[in-house]
Amino acid sequence: MAKIFVLGSLNMDLVINAERFPNKGETIKGTDFFINEGGKGLNQAVACAKMGAETYMIGTVGCDEYGKKLIKALKTYGVKTKYIQKIKHKNSGIALITVCDGENKIIVNSGANALINFAKVEKILNTKTLPGDILILQQEIPLDIVEKAIAIASKKYVKVILNPAPAAKIKKDLYKKVDLIIPNETETEILTEICPDDEVSIKLAIQSLHKLGVKNVAITLGSKGAVISAGKEIEFIPAKIVKVVDTTGAGDTFVGVVAVMLQEGKSLSKSANFANTASALKITRKGAAKAIPTYTEVLLSE
Ligand code: RIB
C-alpha cells in the first residue's frame, strides 16, 4: 500500500473559549482553558492515521516538554515519528487559540517549525518515498522548504497535495507539480485575487487555480461546505448541519481524509464528500487532533 508523508508543523495549542473575542487593548475573561496537540501538519497526519493510512510525519519539535508530548500523541494515533527532528535551544511550535461561538482566532509562534533542516527532508523524500506515495504539505514551515519538497516529490512521481495555509503564493512554475490544492476561502482569494463568495466567483477562482497549472482543486467554504473540480465540471458539496462547537482543525481533517480516500482509489468527488462528513464531525468536538474522527465514526455518520 502506498504511504502518506506529511511535511509540516507541529504545535501545542493553548486554547481559551470565550463568549466574544476581545477588542484591541481589552482584557476579557474566558470560560474554559485546555492544552492539546495541533499544528496543521500534525492534525493532517493524525487525520490520515485515523483513516487507517500508513502515515509518516516529517517536521520539527523543540527539546522541551511540549516536543515530547507532541511526538507521544502522534505515536498514540499511529503516526510514524522517526522523521521528526528535535531542535536544541528552541521551543516547540505554539498556537494561542481563542474560540468563540465555534469560530477561532489563532496566533502561531513557529518555534522549532521554522528551523527544519532541508538536507534531512531532502534525504527522506529522495530515499524513502516511492512513486504513488502521497506528500501532503501546508505552509506553516518555511515556504522555500515547501517549494523544494514539491519539486523533489513531483520528480519522484509522488502525488503532491498542497494546503496553502497560512496563505502565501509559491513560485508560479511549481503549481503544475501540485496534484491537488486545498485552500479555504481566504487562501483562495490571496492566491487568485478573486473572493469566492458566490457561484460565479467560485467558478472563476477555480479556473484561475487550474490556469496556474494545478490539476485538481478543492476549496473548503466553511459553513457553505466545499467545492471541487478535476478540470471540467465543478461539484458543490453542501456542509452538513451540525452543532458547531469548535472549527479548529476542520480544514486539516478535510485534507487528511481526502488524501487517504484518493490513495484508496476513490474519485475526487467520493473522497471530498467523505472528508466533508469527517470535517462536520470534527466541528462538533473541542480541540484539534484529538477531535478528528476515526474512519468508522465517519462511516457511521454518512
Ligand atoms: O489548522 C488548525 C491549526 O492551526 C491549529 O491546530 C494550530 O496549531 C494552527 O497551526
Side-chain angles (χ1 to χ4, degrees), residues 1-283:
M1 189 61 163
K3 296 177 183 135
I4 297 189
F5 293 82
V6 180
L7 170 59
S9 57
L10 301 92
N11 296 331
M12 194 55 87
D13 291 356
L14 277 52
V15 188
I16 296 188
N17 284 284
E19 276 164 15
R20 65 177 176 84
F21 291 113
N23 294 316
K24 207 170 170 184
E26 187 190 21
T27 304
I28 60 167
K29 285 184 179 167
T31 52
D32 186 17
F33 170 70
F34 62 94
I35 298 179
N36 76 142
E37 296 81 14
K40 297 186 192 307
L42 180 146
N43 293 340
Q44 292 174 20
V46 169
C48 294
K50 287 195 179 186
M51 291 300 116
E54 187 176 337
T55 311
Y56 295 80
M57 177 84 218
I58 311 173
T60 38
V61 293
C63 292
D64 52 11
E65 278 311 304
Y66 284 164
K68 282 184 206 153
K69 284 188 176 155
L70 290 165
I71 293 177
K72 193 173 166 205
L74 279 171
K75 283 186 178 149
T76 312
Y77 295 121
V79 177
K80 314 262 192 249
T81 59
K82 61 181 169 186
Y83 303 136
I84 297 179
Q85 305 164 28
K86 295 184 191 98
I87 309 284
K88 280 190 189 148
H89 312 303
K90 194 74 190 171
N91 61 286
S92 296
I94 300 283
L96 292 182
I97 304 182
T98 313
V99 177
C100 170
D101 291 335
E103 298 303 325
N104 61 52
K105 290 198 178 183
I106 305 179
I107 303 180
V108 170
N109 170 259
S110 297
N113 291 304
L115 298 180
I116 188 162
N117 178 309
F118 177 66
K120 290 187 182 158
V121 174
E122 186 179 29
K123 194 170 170 203
I124 296 161
L125 294 178
N126 273 326
T127 60
K128 306 294 177 192
T129 63
L130 290 171
D133 287 345
I134 291 181
L135 176 67
I136 303 179
L137 310 104
Q138 327 74 39
Q139 300 181 167
E140 273 187 337
I141 59 167
L143 203 59
D144 64 311
I145 293 192
V146 171
E147 291 175 330
K148 288 181 202 157
I150 291 174
I152 298 172
S154 149
K155 244 191 211 157
K156 291 210 66 192
Y157 300 101
V158 168
K159 289 184 203 128
V160 174
I161 297 182
L162 177 65
N163 171 222
K169 292 182 184 176
I170 54 168
K171 285 186 195 135
K172 249 190 162 175
D173 62 310
L174 287 173
Y175 286 102
K176 61 176 179 293
K177 300 183 193 294
V178 174
D179 294 276
L180 171 62
I181 194 163
I182 312 182
N184 67 11
E185 290 152 296
T186 317
E187 291 139 17
T188 301
E189 185 172 356
I190 289 172
L191 260 51
T192 65
E193 275 135 47
I194 300 165
C195 173
D197 56 3
D198 60 17
E199 211 174 309
V200 176
S201 55
I202 288 171
K203 283 183 181 162
L204 287 173
I206 287 179
Q207 275 170 16
S208 163
L209 289 167
H210 281 310
K211 254 193 210 149
L212 283 171
V214 178
K215 296 169 201 80
N216 299 290
V217 176
I219 303 179
T220 54
L221 299 167
S223 60
K224 285 178 256 143
V227 55
I228 55 165
S229 162
K232 286 184 188 138
E233 277 155 31
I234 289 173
E235 179 185 341
F236 284 86
I237 302 170
K240 306 258 170 193
I241 298 162
V242 291
K243 186 174 181 291
V244 182
V245 173
D246 182 356
T247 53
T248 309
D252 299 329
T253 303
F254 188 92
V255 173
V257 176
V258 162
V260 177
M261 295 301 119
L262 288 174
Q263 183 211 44
E264 286 181 1
K266 308 259 183 347
S267 66
L268 180 59
S269 169
K270 281 233 163 80
S271 304
N273 274 281
F274 198 72
N276 189 46
T277 306
S279 298
L281 262 178
K282 151 62 210 106
I283 286 167

